[in-house]
Amino acid sequence: MSPTDHEEPESLPGLDVAAEPVSPSRPSSLEPAPVLPIARVVLEQPVPHLDHPFDYLVPLSLHDDAVPGARVSVRFGAQKLGGFILERRDEAEPGVSPIPLLKVITALPVLNPLVAVAARAVADRYAGTLSDVLRAAIPPRVASVDKEFIAATAEPSDTEGASGTPAASSYVLGTTNPWRHYEGGEQFLTELAAGGNPRAVATVLPETAGDWAELAREAMLATVSSGRSVVMVVPDARDLQHLESTLQSSAADLPFARLNAEDGPTPRYRNFLSAALGNVQVVVGTRSAALAPVEKPGLYVLWQDADQSLSEPRAPYQHAREVLLLRANEEGAALLVLSTSRSAEAQRLVATGWARELAPSRDVRREFSPRVVVTGDDFEREKDPFLHASRLPRAAWQAAQKALETGPVLIQVARTGFIPTTSCERCRTAATCMHCHGPLSFTGGSRVPSCGWCGRVANAWSCSVCGFTRLRARSIGADRTAEELGRAFPKVPVVSATGTHPKFAVSSQPQLVVATPCAEPRAEGGYQAALLLDGDRSLMREGLRVAEEVMHRWFAAASLVKPASKGGLVVIAASQSDATQAMVRADAAGFAWRELEQRRDVNLPPACRSAVIEGPATASDQFVAALNLPETVTTLGPVWMEEGQHRWLLFFPYAAGAQVARELKSGKVRSSTHRWPMVSVRVDDSSML
C-alpha cells in the first residue's frame, strides 16, 4: 500500500537506499489526470519484500508525460526513489490511497511492455527482483540524449549506430547462401521469411566454409523481410566488432543499433532509444542486449552460448541464453543458437524437440575441417620419449616450423601473464604472500615474485611448510610463452593477444600468434596451424563444466584454421580422452550428447535444475530449513566454506522449477523483512558447481 500525505514517514526495513527529504505536495498538485489517473510503478530498488508494483496518482500537470514505460521519481516513505510506469489504470488497488508522482524524469517509453513481461519472467525464474533485471536491461539516462529524441519526434533521428527502419521486402535465397552447407538451413530461412517462428541449434563449420556472422546476417535478412525485428547477442566486443563489420559490408540495407556497455553512456543510451522507439529493426550487442526493446520481435540469435561472458555477474545472475529462451517462448518468436561447439544446454533443446538441429553432413564437415593431431596418443608417445616432460611436444614444434613457411600459426595458452602461479620447488605447496596470503607470481622478466593481491615484492620468501626458498612455475602464461617462442623462432614475428590486450585480426604473413582462450584474432585466409597447449592441465580442473568449457575453447580455435586440404593442422597437447576424440572427429554434437546423458545418470544440470545457497552458517541453515520444497527436490549440505560460511545445493526437475523459485524468493523476502543476515541465492548458475 502506498503511504498517504497524512501519514508520518516511517522506516522501511531492508530499504538500503540514500534518503532524500521530500516536502509535502501542494494541494494544487493533487488534481488527478482526467483519464487513467493511476500509474502502476515498479521501483528501482533491489529489496525483495518490495518487489511488486505500487499505485501512484498521476497529477494533471504530468498527464501527457506519464506514459507507460516512462522513468519517474516517486515518494516512498521518507525517501525519493526512481521507478518506471508499467501501466496507467482507472482505479487503484482496493484499500490503497495513492499519493501523486513527484516527477517524470524521462517522458520517453524506455521500458518496453514486452521487455517488462520478459524481465518479470527472468526475475521469477532466478528468484530475483524485477529491479535487478531492469538494471541490466535499461541503461542509465543521459539527459541530452533525451532532449535530442524528444525534439525529433516527428521523424527518426540520424543517430550514432542506428538509422531509419527499412520497409519489408521479399527475401530471395541466393545460390551462394552460407546456409547451403547445413541440412535444413535453407528451409529455416524460408520459414523466417514467411513469418514463422522456427527454433534451431546450429554447430558452425570452420570459417573457410562461411563466416558465422554471414549465417546470422542471412537469418536477419529473412526475418526483416517479413516485417519483424531481430535481436542478436554475442559474448564480447571482439565478436561484436566482427558482426558489425559483416552487417555494414552487406549490400542489403540492414540498419542496426549496437548495445555495448563499453561504448560509454551517451552512445549506448542513444542506440537504446533508437531501438526502443522503433527506429531500427535489428539490435546487436553483448549480454545486456538480450533484453533489448524491439517492435514485433521475430528472431533472437545467440552466438557461442557456452561462453562464460554471457552470464550476468550481478543478481539475479541470469544467462543470456535463458533470457532469449524465455523471450522467444513468451513472444512467439524464432530462436537461433549458433556455436562452433555445442553446450549441454543447447543439446537438451535438441533432445527434447524444442529446437531442431541444423547440421552439415559428415562429408561436408570433413571437407572444411583441419586435421587434428593429439600428442598424447600411442603413436605420438612412441615417437617422442620425452613427451611427459615437455610443454610443447615434438609434434607441435614440427607443425609450427612447417606451417610458418606459408602462413601464421596460432598458439592457444590457458593463462595470461608471465608465470601466474608458483609453488615451492621442494614440496610443491602453493606459494603465497607472507603478509596477506595472496598468490605469488612472476611478471615480465622479473626474477623476484610479487603478490597478486597486495603487490608486495617477496624478496625473502620461504615455504611455510618445509622452509625451502626456491620457487617453481605451476603454470606458464601467455607472456612467458611468447618470450620462449621468440627465442626459439628468432626470425619470426611473435604477436600476443589476451583479454586485457586484445587484437582482432592479423595478416596472412608467417607469424606466431600467442593468445588466451576466446581472445584469438582472426587471420586473413585462416591460420596454417594451431597449437592448443596445456590440455591436460585444463581438463584436470575441478568443476561440472570443465570438459565442456575446454571443448568450447578448442573448437573456437580450430574454426580459425584452414581445412586439411590446404594443409591446415591442429595439434592438441593433451592425453587421449573423450574431448580429444571429439576434436579428431569434429563431432561437437556427439560430445555434448554424451555429456548430457552422463549428467542424466547422476541427476546433474542441465538434466535437472539447480540452486546454490550460501551465507553465514546459522542464517543459511535457517533459510533452507524454512523452505517448503516439493519431495522431488534433492537437498545437499551444509558444506563448510571459509570464514564460517555454509553452502547448500538444491537439485530439482524442470517441472518443479517454478515452485522452487517461488519458495526461494519467499525465503529472501523473509530475510529482508526481518533484517536477517544476507544469504546469496543463485539459480541455475553452473559456475558454482
Side-chain angles (χ1 to χ4, degrees):
M1 178 185 300
S2 300
T4 65
D5 287 332
H6 303 290
E7 293 177 336
E8 292 294 326
E10 61 182 52
S11 176
L12 298 171
L15 188 58
D16 298 324
V17 293
E20 181 177 343
V22 180
S23 60
S25 302
R26 296 179 180 178
S28 60
S29 66
L30 295 180
E31 184 178 354
V35 180
L36 303 177
I38 303 300
R40 303 219 78 191
V41 177
V42 55
L43 302 178
E44 289 186 285
Q45 52 74 36
V47 184
H49 67 269
L50 300 179
D51 184 32
H52 58 85
F54 291 84
D55 288 344
Y56 283 87
L57 183 71
V58 179
L60 178 61
S61 59
L62 302 180
H63 172 58
D64 293 333
D65 292 339
V67 298
R71 193 192 302 260
V72 296
S73 176
V74 299
R75 176 187 170 190
F76 192 80
Q79 303 177 355
K80 184 169 70 173
L81 299 177
F84 301 95
I85 297 179
L86 294 178
E87 61 175 330
R88 294 275 297 269
R89 309 175 68 175
D90 287 321
E91 298 180 351
E93 291 291 326
V96 175
S97 299
I99 61 176
L101 299 173
L102 293 178
K103 182 181 180 182
V104 174
I105 300 174
T106 302
L108 298 171
V110 294
L111 178 56
N112 183 291
L114 293 177
V115 173
V117 173
R120 181 73 267 172
V122 171
D124 291 343
R125 177 184 175 85
Y126 286 91
T129 64
L130 179 59
S131 175
D132 281 337
V133 180
L134 293 181
R135 176 188 58 201
I138 303 175
R141 173 179 180 258
V142 178
S144 60
V145 178
D146 270 350
K147 295 177 182 178
E148 174 185 322
F149 276 80
I150 292 174
T153 52
E155 57 183 355
S157 300
D158 184 14
T159 59
E160 178 181 342
S163 59
T165 302
S169 60
S170 59
Y171 175 72
V172 179
L173 197 63
T175 56
T176 60
N177 193 298
W179 284 100
R180 68 188 184 280
H181 298 303
Y182 298 81
E183 297 178 356
E186 295 182 345
Q187 175 63 28
F188 180 78
L189 296 181
T190 301
E191 291 183 35
L192 288 176
N197 61 338
R199 296 154 182 174
V201 173
T203 302
V204 177
L205 288 168
E207 292 194 0
T208 50
D211 188 25
W212 62 267
E214 295 175 356
L215 296 173
R217 181 189 61 198
E218 288 298 323
M220 292 177 184
L221 289 171
T223 306
V224 170
S225 70
S226 67
R228 299 178 296 166
S229 301
V230 182
V231 174
M232 181 166 183
V233 179
V234 299
D236 51 42
R238 179 182 64 118
D239 292 326
L240 184 57
Q241 183 188 62
H242 179 64
L243 177 61
E244 262 193 296
S245 299
T246 302
L247 295 179
Q248 290 171 344
S249 63
S250 173
D253 185 19
L254 195 62
F256 62 92
R258 162 192 170 118
L259 296 181
N260 183 19
E262 296 180 3
D263 290 342
T266 298
R268 181 188 178 196
Y269 190 60
R270 180 177 290 122
N271 289 339
F272 172 83
L273 287 183
S274 293
L277 299 179
N279 294 345
V280 292
Q281 284 182 281
V282 177
V283 177
V284 298
T286 49
R287 61 173 177 262
S288 62
L291 286 164
V294 290
E295 294 183 354
K296 299 180 181 179
L299 174 65
Y300 293 106
V301 188
L302 181 62
W303 167 241
Q304 298 287 40
D305 70 299
D307 197 294
Q308 296 178 344
S309 301
L310 294 170
S311 182
E312 176 64 43
R314 300 180 296 179
Y317 314 106
Q318 70 271 19
H319 194 286
R321 177 186 53 245
E322 306 305 323
V323 175
L324 296 184
L325 286 174
L326 287 171
R327 293 196 71 177
N329 195 58
E330 292 280 344
E331 300 164 9
L335 178 74
L336 176 60
V337 179
L338 296 170
S339 180
T340 53
S341 60
R342 177 75 62 83
S343 68
E345 283 81 4
Q347 183 60 36
R348 180 181 173 272
L349 297 178
V350 175
T352 58
W354 195 89
R356 70 183 71 170
E357 182 176 19
L358 304 180
S361 65
R362 179 174 298 182
D363 292 339
V364 172
R365 194 165 60 236
R366 287 177 176 175
E367 177 185 353
F368 291 103
S369 298
R371 185 168 71 93
V372 177
V373 173
V374 181
T375 61
D377 63 19
D378 295 337
F379 180 71
E380 291 296 333
R381 286 180 182 274
E382 291 180 3
K383 294 195 301 180
D384 189 356
F386 300 103
L387 177 64
H388 66 283
S390 175
R391 180 167 180 257
L392 195 63
R394 187 175 67 93
W397 281 104
Q398 292 178 339
Q401 287 178 327
K402 183 177 180 180
L404 285 171
E405 297 175 359
T406 55
V409 175
L410 172 65
I411 301 175
Q412 185 191 77
V413 296
R415 300 288 297 271
T416 59
F418 196 76
I419 299 180
T421 56
T422 58
S423 64
C424 174
E425 188 177 278
R426 177 187 290 170
C427 68
R428 302 299 193 261
T429 301
T432 58
C433 176
M434 300 173 66
H435 295 275
C436 69
H437 304 290
L440 294 183
S441 62
F442 289 92
T443 57
S446 173
R447 294 179 177 272
V448 181
S450 60
C451 177
W453 291 359
C454 68
R456 285 187 172 93
V457 177
N459 286 306
W461 178 87
S462 61
C463 180
S464 59
V465 176
C466 68
F468 203 60
T469 58
R470 294 176 61 180
L471 294 170
R472 70 185 297 270
R474 297 182 67 192
S475 62
I476 303 297
D479 296 341
R480 174 64 179 270
T481 303
E483 182 183 281
E484 293 177 348
L485 291 171
R487 291 196 299 264
F489 299 93
K491 297 182 180 180
V492 179
V494 180
V495 177
S496 180
T498 64
T500 54
H501 298 89
K503 192 173 184 62
F504 296 150
V506 295
S507 68
S508 60
Q509 299 301 315
Q511 58 188 309
L512 290 168
V513 181
V514 182
T516 50
C518 302
E520 302 90 351
R522 290 174 175 80
E524 183 181 353
Y527 288 97
Q528 195 64 40
L531 314 181
L532 311 181
L533 306 185
D534 308 319
D536 287 336
R537 185 168 295 168
S538 298
L539 288 169
M540 285 190 297
R541 292 183 296 115
E542 295 183 358
L544 176 66
R545 312 188 69 91
V546 168
E548 187 178 322
E549 291 174 2
V550 172
M551 290 295 292
H552 164 63
R553 297 171 178 179
W554 285 354
F555 271 108
S559 69
L560 303 176
V561 181
K562 296 178 181 179
S565 60
K566 296 183 179 180
L569 176 65
V570 174
V571 179
I572 305 176
S575 302
Q576 287 280 20
S577 64
D578 289 343
T580 57
Q581 286 302 305
M583 286 294 298
V584 171
R585 297 191 301 267
D587 186 16
F591 180 83
W593 177 263
R594 286 189 295 274
E595 280 282 306
L596 181 60
E597 288 300 305
Q598 290 172 3
R599 296 184 198 178
R600 281 176 175 166
D601 293 340
V602 293
N603 193 38
L604 288 175
C608 66
R609 294 185 61 190
S610 66
V612 179
I613 301 169
E614 283 187 357
T618 302
S620 59
D621 293 351
Q622 290 177 347
F623 185 97
V624 174
L627 298 176
N628 183 21
L629 299 173
E631 295 181 357
T632 53
V633 178
T634 301
T635 304
L636 302 178
V639 176
W640 282 93
M641 309 297 290
E642 296 180 356
E643 301 178 356
Q645 301 281 306
H646 272 182
R647 171 184 287 185
W648 291 81
L649 299 179
L650 306 182
F651 297 101
F652 46 95
Y654 283 82
Q659 182 178 352
V660 173
R662 284 194 299 269
E663 277 299 311
L664 292 172
K665 178 65 176 297
S666 298
K668 294 171 70 173
V669 169
R670 284 192 295 270
S671 298
S672 173
T673 304
H674 295 90
R675 296 187 178 182
W676 291 339
M678 179 66 66
V679 174
S680 170
V681 177
R682 293 183 177 229
V683 178
D684 293 332
D685 187 353
S686 58
S687 65
M688 303 291 290
L689 301 178

